[in-house]
PDB file of all heavy atoms in Angstrom:
ATOM      1  N   ARG A1061    -123.218-137.803 -63.698  1.00 90.00           N
ATOM      2  CA  ARG A1061    -121.873-137.992 -64.057  1.00 90.00           C
ATOM      3  C   ARG A1061    -121.306-136.727 -64.586  1.00 90.00           C
ATOM      4  O   ARG A1061    -120.255-136.282 -64.247  1.00 90.00           O
ATOM      5  CB  ARG A1061    -121.668-139.181 -65.095  1.00 90.00           C
ATOM      6  CG  ARG A1061    -120.219-139.352 -65.438  1.00 90.00           C
ATOM      7  CD  ARG A1061    -120.175-140.478 -66.503  1.00 90.00           C
ATOM      8  NE  ARG A1061    -120.995-140.284 -67.580  1.00 90.00           N
ATOM      9  CZ  ARG A1061    -120.575-140.058 -68.802  1.00 90.00           C
ATOM     10  NH1 ARG A1061    -119.283-139.944 -69.075  1.00 90.00           N
ATOM     11  NH2 ARG A1061    -121.459-139.846 -69.814  1.00 90.00           N
ATOM     12  N   GLN A1062    -122.109-135.996 -65.406  1.00 86.00           N
ATOM     13  CA  GLN A1062    -121.681-134.745 -66.018  1.00 86.00           C
ATOM     14  C   GLN A1062    -121.518-133.605 -64.885  1.00 86.00           C
ATOM     15  O   GLN A1062    -120.621-132.828 -64.935  1.00 86.00           O
ATOM     16  CB  GLN A1062    -122.686-134.234 -67.020  1.00 86.00           C
ATOM     17  CG  GLN A1062    -122.701-135.018 -68.370  1.00 86.00           C
ATOM     18  CD  GLN A1062    -121.485-134.820 -69.036  1.00 86.00           C
ATOM     19  OE1 GLN A1062    -120.831-133.748 -69.035  1.00 86.00           O
ATOM     20  NE2 GLN A1062    -121.066-135.903 -69.743  1.00 86.00           N
ATOM     21  N   ILE A1063    -122.482-133.634 -63.930  1.00 88.00           N
ATOM     22  CA  ILE A1063    -122.462-132.627 -62.853  1.00 88.00           C
ATOM     23  C   ILE A1063    -121.152-132.885 -62.016  1.00 88.00           C
ATOM     24  O   ILE A1063    -120.398-132.057 -61.518  1.00 88.00           O
ATOM     25  CB  ILE A1063    -123.718-132.719 -61.980  1.00 88.00           C
ATOM     26  CG1 ILE A1063    -124.742-132.128 -62.819  1.00 88.00           C
ATOM     27  CG2 ILE A1063    -123.543-131.979 -60.705  1.00 88.00           C
ATOM     28  CD1 ILE A1063    -126.272-132.409 -62.178  1.00 88.00           C
ATOM     29  N   SER A1064    -120.918-134.214 -61.738  1.00 91.00           N
ATOM     30  CA  SER A1064    -119.757-134.528 -61.009  1.00 91.00           C
ATOM     31  C   SER A1064    -118.363-134.135 -61.653  1.00 91.00           C
ATOM     32  O   SER A1064    -117.513-133.638 -61.004  1.00 91.00           O
ATOM     33  CB  SER A1064    -119.710-136.140 -60.760  1.00 91.00           C
ATOM     34  OG  SER A1064    -118.543-136.412 -59.991  1.00 91.00           O
ATOM     35  N   LEU A1065    -118.234-134.442 -62.917  1.00 87.00           N
ATOM     36  CA  LEU A1065    -117.188-133.974 -63.714  1.00 87.00           C
ATOM     37  C   LEU A1065    -117.036-132.461 -63.758  1.00 87.00           C
ATOM     38  O   LEU A1065    -115.901-132.046 -63.599  1.00 87.00           O
ATOM     39  CB  LEU A1065    -117.335-134.521 -65.202  1.00 87.00           C
ATOM     40  CG  LEU A1065    -117.086-136.108 -65.420  1.00 87.00           C
ATOM     41  CD1 LEU A1065    -117.494-136.344 -66.802  1.00 87.00           C
ATOM     42  CD2 LEU A1065    -115.672-136.530 -64.928  1.00 87.00           C
ATOM     43  N   SER A1066    -118.075-131.753 -63.887  1.00 85.00           N
ATOM     44  CA  SER A1066    -118.001-130.296 -63.810  1.00 85.00           C
ATOM     45  C   SER A1066    -117.511-129.786 -62.547  1.00 85.00           C
ATOM     46  O   SER A1066    -116.682-128.824 -62.388  1.00 85.00           O
ATOM     47  CB  SER A1066    -119.393-129.706 -64.163  1.00 85.00           C
ATOM     48  OG  SER A1066    -119.738-130.048 -65.466  1.00 85.00           O
ATOM     49  N   ASP A1067    -118.142-130.406 -61.447  1.00 89.00           N
ATOM     50  CA  ASP A1067    -117.660-129.946 -60.052  1.00 89.00           C
ATOM     51  C   ASP A1067    -116.234-130.343 -59.838  1.00 89.00           C
ATOM     52  O   ASP A1067    -115.486-129.474 -59.386  1.00 89.00           O
ATOM     53  CB  ASP A1067    -118.408-130.762 -59.080  1.00 89.00           C
ATOM     54  CG  ASP A1067    -119.837-130.319 -58.888  1.00 89.00           C
ATOM     55  OD1 ASP A1067    -120.254-129.200 -59.507  1.00 89.00           O
ATOM     56  OD2 ASP A1067    -120.702-131.002 -58.219  1.00 89.00           O
ATOM     57  N   GLU A1068    -115.713-131.346 -60.301  1.00 91.00           N
ATOM     58  CA  GLU A1068    -114.330-131.738 -60.102  1.00 91.00           C
ATOM     59  C   GLU A1068    -113.432-130.844 -61.018  1.00 91.00           C
ATOM     60  O   GLU A1068    -112.410-130.466 -60.459  1.00 91.00           O
ATOM     61  CB  GLU A1068    -114.097-133.310 -60.616  1.00 91.00           C
ATOM     62  CG  GLU A1068    -114.582-134.280 -59.620  1.00 91.00           C
ATOM     63  CD  GLU A1068    -114.466-135.678 -60.170  1.00 91.00           C
ATOM     64  OE1 GLU A1068    -113.654-135.969 -61.170  1.00 91.00           O
ATOM     65  OE2 GLU A1068    -115.130-136.634 -59.612  1.00 91.00           O
ATOM     66  N   LEU A1069    -113.836-130.572 -62.195  1.00 88.00           N
ATOM     67  CA  LEU A1069    -113.103-129.631 -62.946  1.00 88.00           C
ATOM     68  C   LEU A1069    -112.969-128.238 -62.422  1.00 88.00           C
ATOM     69  O   LEU A1069    -111.946-127.628 -62.354  1.00 88.00           O
ATOM     70  CB  LEU A1069    -113.671-129.560 -64.381  1.00 88.00           C
ATOM     71  CG  LEU A1069    -113.029-128.622 -65.496  1.00 88.00           C
ATOM     72  CD1 LEU A1069    -111.561-129.076 -65.690  1.00 88.00           C
ATOM     73  CD2 LEU A1069    -113.753-128.619 -66.704  1.00 88.00           C
ATOM     74  N   LEU A1070    -114.192-127.801 -61.931  1.00 85.00           N
ATOM     75  CA  LEU A1070    -114.080-126.405 -61.386  1.00 85.00           C
ATOM     76  C   LEU A1070    -113.250-126.370 -60.064  1.00 85.00           C
ATOM     77  O   LEU A1070    -112.563-125.411 -59.760  1.00 85.00           O
ATOM     78  CB  LEU A1070    -115.531-125.926 -60.981  1.00 85.00           C
ATOM     79  CG  LEU A1070    -116.296-125.590 -62.261  1.00 85.00           C
ATOM     80  CD1 LEU A1070    -117.821-125.276 -61.845  1.00 85.00           C
ATOM     81  CD2 LEU A1070    -115.659-124.397 -62.980  1.00 85.00           C
ATOM     82  N   ALA A1071    -113.379-127.474 -59.332  1.00 85.00           N
ATOM     83  CA  ALA A1071    -112.526-127.474 -58.003  1.00 85.00           C
ATOM     84  C   ALA A1071    -111.011-127.565 -58.416  1.00 85.00           C
ATOM     85  O   ALA A1071    -110.203-126.799 -57.751  1.00 85.00           O
ATOM     86  CB  ALA A1071    -112.839-128.793 -57.261  1.00 85.00           C
ATOM     87  N   ALA A1072    -110.617-128.280 -59.419  1.00 88.00           N
ATOM     88  CA  ALA A1072    -109.293-128.360 -59.844  1.00 88.00           C
ATOM     89  C   ALA A1072    -108.728-126.928 -60.368  1.00 88.00           C
ATOM     90  O   ALA A1072    -107.657-126.513 -60.025  1.00 88.00           O
ATOM     91  CB  ALA A1072    -109.077-129.323 -60.892  1.00 88.00           C
ATOM     92  N   ILE A1073    -109.599-126.207 -61.095  1.00 84.00           N
ATOM     93  CA  ILE A1073    -109.300-124.917 -61.560  1.00 84.00           C
ATOM     94  C   ILE A1073    -109.094-123.922 -60.404  1.00 84.00           C
ATOM     95  O   ILE A1073    -108.154-123.187 -60.432  1.00 84.00           O
ATOM     96  CB  ILE A1073    -110.381-124.506 -62.559  1.00 84.00           C
ATOM     97  CG1 ILE A1073    -110.340-125.270 -63.880  1.00 84.00           C
ATOM     98  CG2 ILE A1073    -110.189-122.915 -62.906  1.00 84.00           C
ATOM     99  CD1 ILE A1073    -111.450-125.009 -64.856  1.00 84.00           C
ATOM    100  N   ALA A1074    -110.033-123.982 -59.525  1.00 79.00           N
ATOM    101  CA  ALA A1074    -110.015-123.125 -58.271  1.00 79.00           C
ATOM    102  C   ALA A1074    -108.744-123.386 -57.533  1.00 79.00           C
ATOM    103  O   ALA A1074    -108.068-122.476 -57.008  1.00 79.00           O
ATOM    104  CB  ALA A1074    -111.218-123.372 -57.512  1.00 79.00           C
ATOM    105  N   GLN A1075    -108.398-124.670 -57.316  1.00 79.00           N
ATOM    106  CA  GLN A1075    -107.249-125.057 -56.599  1.00 79.00           C
ATOM    107  C   GLN A1075    -105.964-124.457 -57.318  1.00 79.00           C
ATOM    108  O   GLN A1075    -104.985-123.997 -56.627  1.00 79.00           O
ATOM    109  CB  GLN A1075    -107.166-126.537 -56.446  1.00 79.00           C
ATOM    110  CG  GLN A1075    -105.953-127.052 -55.524  1.00 79.00           C
ATOM    111  CD  GLN A1075    -106.000-128.496 -55.333  1.00 79.00           C
ATOM    112  OE1 GLN A1075    -106.678-129.247 -55.995  1.00 79.00           O
ATOM    113  NE2 GLN A1075    -105.142-128.898 -54.407  1.00 79.00           N
ATOM    114  N   GLU A1076    -105.846-124.703 -58.520  1.00 81.00           N
ATOM    115  CA  GLU A1076    -104.668-124.220 -59.269  1.00 81.00           C
ATOM    116  C   GLU A1076    -104.606-122.648 -59.242  1.00 81.00           C
ATOM    117  O   GLU A1076    -103.500-122.087 -59.100  1.00 81.00           O
ATOM    118  CB  GLU A1076    -104.675-124.643 -60.712  1.00 81.00           C
ATOM    119  CG  GLU A1076    -103.527-124.292 -61.608  1.00 81.00           C
ATOM    120  CD  GLU A1076    -102.228-124.946 -61.130  1.00 81.00           C
ATOM    121  OE1 GLU A1076    -102.129-125.785 -60.207  1.00 81.00           O
ATOM    122  OE2 GLU A1076    -101.150-124.411 -61.539  1.00 81.00           O
ATOM    123  N   ALA A1077    -105.779-122.055 -59.280  1.00 78.00           N
ATOM    124  CA  ALA A1077    -105.754-120.503 -59.242  1.00 78.00           C
ATOM    125  C   ALA A1077    -105.277-120.091 -57.914  1.00 78.00           C
ATOM    126  O   ALA A1077    -104.511-119.157 -57.716  1.00 78.00           O
ATOM    127  CB  ALA A1077    -107.102-119.973 -59.655  1.00 78.00           C
ATOM    128  N   GLN A1078    -105.638-120.821 -56.906  1.00 73.00           N
ATOM    129  CA  GLN A1078    -105.351-120.490 -55.563  1.00 73.00           C
ATOM    130  C   GLN A1078    -103.828-120.636 -55.286  1.00 73.00           C
ATOM    131  O   GLN A1078    -103.097-119.885 -54.741  1.00 73.00           O
ATOM    132  CB  GLN A1078    -106.106-121.396 -54.545  1.00 73.00           C
ATOM    133  CG  GLN A1078    -105.673-121.150 -53.066  1.00 73.00           C
ATOM    134  CD  GLN A1078    -105.996-119.805 -52.569  1.00 73.00           C
ATOM    135  OE1 GLN A1078    -106.953-119.124 -52.892  1.00 73.00           O
ATOM    136  NE2 GLN A1078    -105.062-119.282 -51.739  1.00 73.00           N
ATOM    137  N   ARG A1079    -103.271-121.806 -55.917  1.00 75.00           N
ATOM    138  CA  ARG A1079    -101.938-122.096 -55.789  1.00 75.00           C
ATOM    139  C   ARG A1079    -101.088-120.958 -56.592  1.00 75.00           C
ATOM    140  O   ARG A1079    -100.064-120.480 -56.005  1.00 75.00           O
ATOM    141  CB  ARG A1079    -101.618-123.367 -56.469  1.00 75.00           C
ATOM    142  CG  ARG A1079    -100.192-123.915 -56.235  1.00 75.00           C
ATOM    143  CD  ARG A1079     -99.893-125.158 -56.988  1.00 75.00           C
ATOM    144  NE  ARG A1079     -99.863-124.965 -58.385  1.00 75.00           N
ATOM    145  CZ  ARG A1079     -98.864-124.479 -59.118  1.00 75.00           C
ATOM    146  NH1 ARG A1079     -97.787-123.935 -58.442  1.00 75.00           N
ATOM    147  NH2 ARG A1079     -98.900-124.365 -60.395  1.00 75.00           N
ATOM    148  N   LYS A1080    -101.454-120.556 -57.735  1.00 77.00           N
ATOM    149  CA  LYS A1080    -100.733-119.620 -58.515  1.00 77.00           C
ATOM    150  C   LYS A1080    -100.798-118.204 -57.874  1.00 77.00           C
ATOM    151  O   LYS A1080     -99.836-117.510 -57.964  1.00 77.00           O
ATOM    152  CB  LYS A1080    -101.158-119.609 -59.936  1.00 77.00           C
ATOM    153  CG  LYS A1080    -100.794-120.838 -60.683  1.00 77.00           C
ATOM    154  CD  LYS A1080    -100.903-120.549 -62.185  1.00 77.00           C
ATOM    155  CE  LYS A1080    -100.328-121.708 -62.958  1.00 77.00           C
ATOM    156  NZ  LYS A1080     -99.248-121.312 -63.831  1.00 77.00           N
ATOM    157  N   THR A1081    -101.924-117.885 -57.411  1.00 74.00           N
ATOM    158  CA  THR A1081    -102.039-116.505 -56.921  1.00 74.00           C
ATOM    159  C   THR A1081    -101.575-116.332 -55.362  1.00 74.00           C
ATOM    160  O   THR A1081    -101.122-115.262 -55.017  1.00 74.00           O
ATOM    161  CB  THR A1081    -103.551-116.035 -56.805  1.00 74.00           C
ATOM    162  OG1 THR A1081    -104.355-116.817 -56.037  1.00 74.00           O
ATOM    163  CG2 THR A1081    -104.047-115.905 -58.335  1.00 74.00           C
ATOM    164  N   GLY A1082    -101.626-117.471 -54.712  1.00 70.00           N
ATOM    165  CA  GLY A1082    -101.142-117.464 -53.341  1.00 70.00           C
ATOM    166  C   GLY A1082    -101.974-116.464 -52.510  1.00 70.00           C
ATOM    167  O   GLY A1082    -101.434-115.910 -51.520  1.00 70.00           O
ATOM    168  N   ALA A1083    -103.231-116.276 -52.896  1.00 66.00           N
ATOM    169  CA  ALA A1083    -104.066-115.263 -52.094  1.00 66.00           C
ATOM    170  C   ALA A1083    -104.335-115.762 -50.728  1.00 66.00           C
ATOM    171  O   ALA A1083    -105.120-116.695 -50.469  1.00 66.00           O
ATOM    172  CB  ALA A1083    -105.296-114.995 -52.902  1.00 66.00           C
ATOM    173  N   THR A1084    -103.708-115.274 -49.754  1.00 69.00           N
ATOM    174  CA  THR A1084    -103.906-115.556 -48.297  1.00 69.00           C
ATOM    175  C   THR A1084    -104.086-114.238 -47.533  1.00 69.00           C
ATOM    176  O   THR A1084    -103.532-113.228 -48.011  1.00 69.00           O
ATOM    177  CB  THR A1084    -102.903-116.493 -47.671  1.00 69.00           C
ATOM    178  OG1 THR A1084    -101.628-115.714 -47.737  1.00 69.00           O
ATOM    179  CG2 THR A1084    -102.717-117.839 -48.331  1.00 69.00           C
ATOM    180  N   ALA A1085    -104.732-114.363 -46.465  1.00 70.00           N
ATOM    181  CA  ALA A1085    -104.829-113.163 -45.583  1.00 70.00           C
ATOM    182  C   ALA A1085    -104.394-113.660 -44.151  1.00 70.00           C
ATOM    183  O   ALA A1085    -104.577-114.755 -43.775  1.00 70.00           O
ATOM    184  CB  ALA A1085    -106.311-112.640 -45.470  1.00 70.00           C
ATOM    185  N   THR A1086    -103.735-112.748 -43.513  1.00 71.00           N
ATOM    186  CA  THR A1086    -103.128-112.989 -42.154  1.00 71.00           C
ATOM    187  C   THR A1086    -103.969-112.056 -41.262  1.00 71.00           C
ATOM    188  O   THR A1086    -104.088-110.924 -41.517  1.00 71.00           O
ATOM    189  CB  THR A1086    -101.701-112.729 -42.081  1.00 71.00           C
ATOM    190  OG1 THR A1086    -100.953-113.524 -43.078  1.00 71.00           O
ATOM    191  CG2 THR A1086    -101.182-113.082 -40.764  1.00 71.00           C
ATOM    192  N   ALA A1087    -104.305-112.521 -40.030  1.00 75.00           N
ATOM    193  CA  ALA A1087    -105.064-111.796 -39.061  1.00 75.00           C
ATOM    194  C   ALA A1087    -104.518-112.143 -37.766  1.00 75.00           C
ATOM    195  O   ALA A1087    -104.105-113.254 -37.391  1.00 75.00           O
ATOM    196  CB  ALA A1087    -106.627-112.046 -39.210  1.00 75.00           C
ATOM    197  N   TYR A1088    -104.663-111.184 -36.885  1.00 73.00           N
ATOM    198  CA  TYR A1088    -104.357-111.435 -35.419  1.00 73.00           C
ATOM    199  C   TYR A1088    -105.717-111.624 -34.679  1.00 73.00           C
ATOM    200  O   TYR A1088    -106.600-110.865 -34.853  1.00 73.00           O
ATOM    201  CB  TYR A1088    -103.676-110.086 -34.797  1.00 73.00           C
ATOM    202  CG  TYR A1088    -102.226-109.969 -35.282  1.00 73.00           C
ATOM    203  CD1 TYR A1088    -101.849-109.184 -36.309  1.00 73.00           C
ATOM    204  CD2 TYR A1088    -101.237-110.760 -34.692  1.00 73.00           C
ATOM    205  CE1 TYR A1088    -100.643-109.071 -36.751  1.00 73.00           C
ATOM    206  CE2 TYR A1088     -99.864-110.593 -35.140  1.00 73.00           C
ATOM    207  CZ  TYR A1088     -99.663-109.717 -36.145  1.00 73.00           C
ATOM    208  OH  TYR A1088     -98.314-109.546 -36.537  1.00 73.00           O
ATOM    209  N   GLY A1089    -105.654-112.566 -33.688  1.00 74.00           N
ATOM    210  CA  GLY A1089    -106.855-112.737 -32.912  1.00 74.00           C
ATOM    211  C   GLY A1089    -106.663-111.896 -31.653  1.00 74.00           C
ATOM    212  O   GLY A1089    -105.720-111.159 -31.396  1.00 74.00           O
ATOM    213  N   ALA A1090    -107.809-111.905 -30.872  1.00 73.00           N
ATOM    214  CA  ALA A1090    -107.896-111.116 -29.689  1.00 73.00           C
ATOM    215  C   ALA A1090    -106.758-111.483 -28.668  1.00 73.00           C
ATOM    216  O   ALA A1090    -106.302-110.635 -27.925  1.00 73.00           O
ATOM    217  CB  ALA A1090    -109.140-111.352 -28.992  1.00 73.00           C
ATOM    218  N   GLY A1091    -106.310-112.739 -28.620  1.00 74.00           N
ATOM    219  CA  GLY A1091    -105.290-113.177 -27.764  1.00 74.00           C
ATOM    220  C   GLY A1091    -103.878-112.957 -28.301  1.00 74.00           C
ATOM    221  O   GLY A1091    -102.870-113.352 -27.769  1.00 74.00           O
TER     222      GLY A1091
END
């Protein structure tokens, strides 16, 4: 239960950090 709670908390923190930073990369493919 503690490991699951920690995983959920870290996932929520990472998701919020991703949302706030908006860190995305754009790439062109060969086609």
Side-chain angles (χ1 to χ4, degrees):
R1061 183 177 54 110
Q1062 290 293 329
I1063 290 169
S1064 177
L1065 288 172
S1066 295
D1067 287 347
E1068 289 174 13
L1069 180 61
L1070 288 174
I1073 290 169
Q1075 184 178 13
E1076 182 63 14
Q1078 176 65 39
R1079 187 187 68 76
K1080 285 194 174 239
T1081 61
T1084 59
T1086 304
Y1088 287 98

